[in-house]
Amino acid sequence: MEVQVMKNILGANEETAESNKKMFDYAHIYVLNLMGSPGAGKTCLLEKTIRHLKDRVRLAVIEGDLFTDKDAARIEKLGAPVVQINTVGGCHLDAAMVEKAADKLNLEELDLIIVENVGNLVCPAEFAVGEDEKAVVISITEGDDKPSKYPLIFKESAVCLLNKVDLLEHCDFNMEGAKKDIAALHPGMDIIEIYCKKEHGVDAWCDWLVKRVEAKKGGAK
Amino acid sequence: MEVQVMKNILGANEETAESNKKMFDYAHIYVLNLMGSPGAGKTCLLEKTIRHLKDRVRLAVIEGDLFTDKDAARIEKLGAPVVQINTVGGCHLDAAMVEKAADKLNLEELDLIIVENVGNLVCPAEFAVGEDEKAVVISITEGDDKPSKYPLIFKESAVCLLNKVDLLEHCDFNMEGAKKDIAALHPGMDIIEIYCKKEHGVDAWCDWLVKRVEAKKGGAK
């Protein structure tokens, strides 16, 4: 029974995700579903992204958290439109939550929406929310075995951000091995090394993002 | 419907967890459900714990992972009995999985079973597996906002291990603030600072554990 119910839930989610996607396509907004463990550095990455892109891209954030609005407050400080979703204990965002959140944004005035999912390397990968692509952030302090231990999120994501690379000397993290594992799971996946706190690699990441945003806009709005 | 199904699933799990608990009680085995984010340092903690306790306590490990047996292989190397559970993508262990795993252990010859849950700061906290107590490991590299953002796991756990404290100087982690947040969520909760890799604090942790094991054994076996 549990399996059938999961199939029904996933099926219903898929339908809403497709309808969200149509809406975002119509508005020419590139939507990224940003995933990663608690503390991988998702919100820090968003802060730096907003600072780097604010004069080039009209960006909004949908913030997923279990309970608090701490992350949304951090984004709001930077002047970007932000909508908070609290899952009240739920371990991932779903398409219906993002549909409601998107209602609160003025889509006419946006080029890019980044959806920061709940901190979790497992469940968010199973639930589309209407995004164009998914991205996964891992911190190198988590260890180099994460790709092989949590394969789905790497298979589902278009890009992997390896964060906190400046702490490499303090961690047993085999960078070459991790990249090989990622390439084996998802051949051709983009991998960007960053140290978000000090903004290393944030340029390369923003270039990656801007290319996507421009392709989606296609000149027309 | 989704809510009712979740209630049914949780209810059925609770029953199996109680029956596991009775079995472990009968065998005078203290069982700890060890939880934490991917990369918090759960397996490293187990390795050090086995090394420290192998002459004092008869310890076995039940290893929960999505797919690989990498962690179980690390435990096996140290000579401790270990049973692997692969959830095949599932985001937490449940009581039925632990029931099956326990069947493969010789309970007569054990004082302590540590169940290493799937790396996830959300879902494992909702599913009892028959444990005496839960423990949560967080790495200070994850940031000091984790207790307030993931409250359930701190409310449910008897002890919080703050790992990788030697990296404090490289991280924006307010130790006092984090401890206050933990105390607010779970008054009187034990908090142990460790740096597992270098075995700092592992003595204090093992003392905590041995006290529990001895109380459970109560001299009789």
Side-chain angles (χ1 to χ4, degrees), chain B residues 162-200:
Chain B
L162 294 173
N163 193 13
K164 309 189 193 177
V165 289
D166 287 23
L167 297 178
L168 265 175
E169 61 183 303
H170 306 288
C171 305
D172 297 325
F173 189 93
N174 179 342
M175 183 60 84
E176 207 183 327
K179 286 184 175 175
K180 259 190 201 162
D181 286 348
I182 293 170
L185 286 168
H186 188 158
M189 183 181 195
D190 289 318
I191 301 175
I192 305 175
E193 291 183 32
I194 58 173
Y195 186 43
C196 199
K197 204 169 131 186
K198 296 193 178 167
E199 308 205 9
H200 300 174

Side-chain angles (χ1 to χ4, degrees), chain B residues 74-89:
Chain B
R74 286 168 62 182
I75 301 303
E76 205 157 33
K77 256 192 203 164
L78 301 172
V82 56
V83 180
Q84 175 75 55
I85 301 173
N86 279 137
T87 62
V88 198

Side-chain angles (χ1 to χ4, degrees), chain A residues 2 9 37-39 65 67-68 70-71 89 91 119-120 122-123 141-142 146 148-151 164 167 170 197, chain B residues 2 9 37-39 65 67-68 70-71 89 91 119-120 122-123 141-142 146 148-151 164 167 170 197:
Chain A
E2 197 175 332
I9 290 171
S37 294
D65 275 299
F67 296 99
T68 72
K70 286 189 174 204
D71 292 349
C91 53
N120 184 336
V122 188
C123 319
T141 59
E142 294 170 37
K146 294 303 156 289
S148 60
K149 290 183 65 182
Y150 301 86
K164 308 189 193 177
L167 297 179
H170 306 288
K197 204 170 132 185
Chain B
E2 197 175 332
I9 291 171
S37 294
D65 274 300
F67 296 100
T68 73
K70 287 188 175 205
D71 292 349
C91 53
N120 184 336
V122 187
C123 318
T141 59
E142 295 171 36
K146 294 303 157 290
S148 60
K149 289 183 66 183
Y150 300 86
K164 309 189 193 177
L167 297 178
H170 306 288
K197 204 169 131 186

Side-chain angles (χ1 to χ4, degrees), chain B residues 3 11 30 32 36 39 56 58-59 67 70 76 79 90 94 98-99 106 111 121 129 134 142 149 177 187 194 217:
Chain B
V3 172
Y30 176 79
L32 186 77
R56 296 160 70 191
R58 298 173 302 171
L59 187 166
F67 296 100
K70 287 188 175 205
E76 205 157 33
D94 65 31
V98 168
E99 185 185 20
N106 188 347
D111 308 312
L121 214 48
V129 298
K134 294 180 171 78
E142 295 171 36
K149 289 183 66 183
I194 58 173
K217 272 169 70 181

Side-chain angles (χ1 to χ4, degrees), chain A residues 31-49:
Chain A
V31 178
L32 186 78
N33 184 351
L34 184 66
M35 308 179 294
S37 294
K42 298 181 292 302
T43 313
C44 182
L45 181 69
L46 282 177
E47 288 173 324
K48 306 301 184 190
T49 306

